């Protein structure tokens, strides 16, 4: 569904994305994980034709993002990180405008608007100005807008940034629902648990390169499934082990407070890069 071959982006002497090779299957929920400046958003911008690649190839459902622009536009929906709804229009009017831009016939456009308002649970607020919406409602409307033309691939750049935990889980449910209906989803996120609970596979980027790829479980197995945290001194110590028995043996040699827990994707990232995801 999405195929990247040596995809590269330079800004002068700065290498934002360095020869990215990646294949995302139809029907996957796939996350790009990494710190600010890792190249996640730049990759999304190239795939959504907002930024021209310096080199390499990117195909979406067989269409080249450099050559088949009109065909790619029909294949993809995009939900950017920053809110870009028209605040002085109602929810229904925002969808109407987007439908017109995609040249959806009037009869089908109205039918689709009503479908999507129900889909994202905004029918009761359809006539309200977007400026009166909460952050979660705006995010759901942005997803509805991205789905207006029935795309096969949905790009979500930090889809739950700034949302409270309850609203974030509503967005997760919506993403799962879309995927269960056949949508391929590529998202970027700083939230470790988001990638862990939602995604079939995760790619970890650092300094423009893909440094790890696999299911959340595979990535944790790669570095160790059990973590020993030790609290003796200025900094907390972290050490990963393939089994609880080995972790217990190590912890028994330590002085001070010790915590033994299962590893997560943040542990994977720190182990592989020496940096925290939010750095």
């Amino acid at each position: 569904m999405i195929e990247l071959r040596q995809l590269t982006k330079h800004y002068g002497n700065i290498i934002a994305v360095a020869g990215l090779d990646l294949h995302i299957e139809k029907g996957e929920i796939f996350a790009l994980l990494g710190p600010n400046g890792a190249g996640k958003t730049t990759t999304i911008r190239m795939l959504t034709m907002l930024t021209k690649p310096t080199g390499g190839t990117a195909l979406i459902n067989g269409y080249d993002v450099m050559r088949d622009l009109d065909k790619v536009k029909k294949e993809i929906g995009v939900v950017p990180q920053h809110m870009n709804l028209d605040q002085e229009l109602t929810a229904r009017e925002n969808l109407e405008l987007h439908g017109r831009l995609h040249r959806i016939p009037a009869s089908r456009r109205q039918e689709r608007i009503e479908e999507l308002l129900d889909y994202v649970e905004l029918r009761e607020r359809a006539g309200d100005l977007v400026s009166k919406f909460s952050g979660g409602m705006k995010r759901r409307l942005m997803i509805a807008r991205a789905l207006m033309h029935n795309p096969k691939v949905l790009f979500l750049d930090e889809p739950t940034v700034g949302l409270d935990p309850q609203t974030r889980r509503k967005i997760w449910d919506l993403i799962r629902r879309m995927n269960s209906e056949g949508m391929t989803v590529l998202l970027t996120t700083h939230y470790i648990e988001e990638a862990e609970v939602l995604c079939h596979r995760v790619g970890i980027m650092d300094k423009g390169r893909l440094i790890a790829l696999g299911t959340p479980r595979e990535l944790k197995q790669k570095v160790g499934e059990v973590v020993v945290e030790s609290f003796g001194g200025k900094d907390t110590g972290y050490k990963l082990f393939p089994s609880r028995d080995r972790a217990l043996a190590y912890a028994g040699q330590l002085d001070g407070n010790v915590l033994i827990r299962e590893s997560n994707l943040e542990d994977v990232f720190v182990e592989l890069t020496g940096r925290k995801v939010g750095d």
Side-chain angles (χ1 to χ4, degrees), residues 20-226:
L20 193 60
D21 289 311
L22 180 63
H23 180 78
I24 298 172
E25 298 285 352
K26 180 179 179 181
E28 269 197 290
I29 304 179
F30 187 95
L32 282 176
L33 191 66
N36 291 327
K40 308 185 307 296
T41 296
T42 300
T43 299
I44 295 290
R45 287 180 62 83
M46 287 190 284
L47 291 174
T48 56
M49 299 171 296
L50 295 174
T51 296
K52 186 177 179 180
T54 304
T57 304
L59 304 176
I60 297 177
N61 206 18
Y63 299 122
D64 193 313
V65 300
M66 294 279 284
R67 301 173 187 166
D68 307 315
L69 275 65
D70 288 341
K71 292 178 180 178
V72 172
K73 286 178 183 177
K74 293 178 181 178
E75 298 290 324
I76 66 173
V78 183
V79 182
Q81 178 179 348
H82 301 291
M83 298 292 180
N84 62 353
L85 297 164
D86 193 318
Q87 303 284 320
E88 301 308 314
L89 295 181
T90 66
R92 182 175 278 110
E93 288 168 344
N94 268 275
L95 296 180
E96 171 76 23
L97 175 60
H98 200 68
R100 287 175 180 265
L101 291 173
H102 276 277
R103 300 179 181 178
I104 300 173
S107 58
R108 176 56 185 150
R109 189 167 65 239
Q110 296 309 313
E111 180 182 355
R112 185 63 174 156
I113 288 171
E114 299 309 315
E115 288 174 357
L116 289 170
L117 288 170
D118 283 335
Y119 193 79
V120 298
E121 301 179 0
L122 286 176
R123 176 177 286 279
E124 294 183 0
R125 301 293 300 273
D128 293 352
L129 293 177
V130 170
S131 59
K132 300 182 182 297
F133 280 12
S134 67
M137 292 169 64
K138 289 177 181 177
R139 189 67 64 179
R140 280 185 281 148
L141 182 58
M142 289 173 71
I143 291 173
R145 183 185 63 182
L147 298 177
M148 190 72 194
H149 59 295
N150 288 295
K152 295 182 177 66
V153 181
L154 186 64
F155 292 96
L156 299 165
D157 192 7
E158 302 287 351
T160 62
V161 66
L163 301 181
D164 63 78
Q166 184 177 8
T167 304
R168 189 191 305 175
R169 289 176 187 272
K170 276 194 170 185
I171 300 296
W172 291 357
D173 288 341
L174 186 54
I175 293 170
R176 289 191 184 102
R177 181 179 171 189
M178 290 185 293
N179 179 249
S180 71
E181 295 169 355
M183 181 75 69
T184 302
V185 180
L186 173 57
L187 62 91
T188 69
T189 183
H190 277 118
Y191 296 125
I192 299 299
E193 72 274 22
E194 189 157 88
E196 201 150 4
V197 303
L198 279 180
C199 297
H200 300 113
R201 287 193 304 151
V202 173
I204 297 179
M205 293 188 71
D206 189 34
K207 299 177 182 177
R209 300 182 182 278
L210 191 67
I211 62 170
L213 176 67
T215 68
R217 181 175 178 82
E218 286 170 346
L219 293 176
K220 288 184 285 186
Q221 288 176 334
K222 181 177 181 179
V223 300
E225 295 188 83
V226 183

Side-chain angles (χ1 to χ4, degrees), residues 231-244:
F231 311 100
K234 183 179 178 182
D235 298 319
T236 300
Y238 298 87
K239 194 168 179 62
L240 286 87
F241 295 90
S243 69
R244 181 166 289 273

